[in-house]
Amino acid sequence: MKIIQSKEFGEYWKKNIFKSEDKKTEETVKNIIADVRDNGDEAVKKYSSKFDKSSPDKLEVPFSEAKNALVQMHEKEPDLTEAIEFAADNIYRFSLKQKEQFKDFEFEIQPGLFTGQRIIPVQRAAVYVPGGRFPLFSSVLMCMIPALCAGAEEVILCSPPAENGIPNQKILAAAANAANVCGISDNRLRIFTIGGAQAIAALAYGTESVPRCDIICGPGNRFVAAAKRQLYGQVGIDFIAGPSDVLIITDGKNNADFAAVDMIAQAEHDPDARARALVPDLGFAEKLAAAVETRVSELPSGEIARTSLENALVVVYKNREEAVKIANIIAPEHLELQTEDAHELVPLLKNYGSLFIGSLSAEVLGDYSAGVNHTLPTETSARFTGGLSVRHFLKIVTTLRCEDTDGFEKARNAAEIIARTEGLEGHAISAASRRRQ
């Protein structure tokens, strides 16, 4: 863990913010995408055989497998089932509230000139959920439920096959739970046992088995991220996910242990995860470092967390204004306010994926159970986008309806003049043809 004074932050940030492009990964993914585009299922199975734990003959998994997985989970792990149901219900209720903010309208902007918007769900949304060391079954809920609440006609879940040829059982159970909480029929959900860049390519282009999707969301490794980056435009995406990160602002009046355990929670994601804190003085910084060292030594996943924490950063700030300025520069994925004046800071903070207000509002609640989404922008992209929400599965399109009135004639005449001035005579003729006789 590195402790620096705020005056050192600018130079530190310049050296550490930008990463060089991973050309080898990009080239590998480019070749996989081209192969899947040209050879469909055959290419998908080839890469599954090469990279995954198994390569099943059939890529689609019957939804009955998800239902069975949920039943088995309920029998073997009732507490986990109850926790997932609680989390799913909160995500569902929050997503419905978000959907309420998007409405159709039409209004008369000038006499006879009616402008409006329509909110149209995407037809087919894809959710990618990695398997890996820790299968992120919570991401199933975070991605599928907003898509279903938005009104997507069909949701496709892709996840790598385990040794038995189908995705992880908890991932399947979470999919069934999402269907239950949203009250939707099975025919709106399909599951495919595909992982990696080949899954993203299959979802973007479509294959003999996999339908072409309109948007792909969900986390993944660097190959998945590279595939989403290269295929954006061919298909919509949520955003490019980099290493997860947290920034904690503390005024030193809370127990340093709160900040320590939240930094460690972030660090255990993977060795590249980034844990950062802004503290008021060097004494608290040293308390925080000691608390982190004590806690990480007790952690089963301590090896991963310790590797990540080697790159952890603690910045000693001079005053509240300086802390806010640094936080807005970092633009963290998760921003925690462990301060007595947390509510006063909220209007000043502009760049974050999700905000956790007060020392009780641990980021882990946002990860799992409180209802807000955990699929969030990383690597400073919170400067221009928020996290995954219902809006990612909605298109806001505009409408125009005209009547032969003075307002229409003024708009028509203005369009004719502007078009002709730009040198687009065809546009001018189109407007002129509707001139009142």
Side-chain angles (χ1 to χ4, degrees), residues 109-216:
I109 198 167
Q110 293 286 345
L113 215 60
F114 297 86
T115 55
Q117 76 173 23
R118 291 185 62 214
I119 309 300
I120 303 175
V122 298
Q123 291 179 280
R124 186 179 288 129
V127 173
Y128 180 81
V129 179
R133 186 174 61 249
F134 303 118
L136 301 177
F137 58 91
S138 59
S139 290
V140 177
L141 307 178
M142 294 288 180
C143 295
M144 289 186 74
I145 292 174
L148 292 167
C149 288
E153 293 178 16
E154 191 174 29
V155 176
I156 308 298
L157 172 65
C158 255
S159 192
E163 289 85 352
N164 61 358
I166 62 175
N168 175 274
Q169 288 292 295
K170 289 184 173 62
I171 288 174
L172 292 176
N177 189 272
N180 288 346
V181 76
C182 294
I184 58 96
S185 58
D186 296 356
N187 60 9
R188 285 181 62 189
L189 293 172
R190 296 175 69 184
I191 300 172
F192 290 85
T193 182
I194 316 172
Q198 64 269 26
I200 306 303
L203 294 167
Y205 287 115
T207 70
E208 299 90 331
S209 300
V210 183
R212 184 185 184 194
C213 295
D214 303 313
I215 184 170
I216 303 171

Side-chain angles (χ1 to χ4, degrees), residues 111 403-411 436:
E403 295 178 356
D404 190 3
T405 62
D406 288 344
F408 163 74
E409 176 56 27
K410 288 179 180 178
R436 285 177 176 172

Side-chain angles (χ1 to χ4, degrees), residues 307-322:
T307 300
S308 173
L309 288 166
E310 289 176 3
N311 296 313
L313 176 68
V314 177
V315 181
V316 180
Y317 61 84
K318 293 178 181 177
N319 50 47
R320 185 173 77 171
E321 290 70 27
E322 190 173 62

Side-chain angles (χ1 to χ4, degrees), residues 83 92 140 146 154 160 217 257 273 291 312 334 388 414 421 425:
Y92 174 70
V140 177
E154 191 174 29
C217 64
D257 193 56
H334 311 95
L388 185 72
T421 302
E425 188 60 27

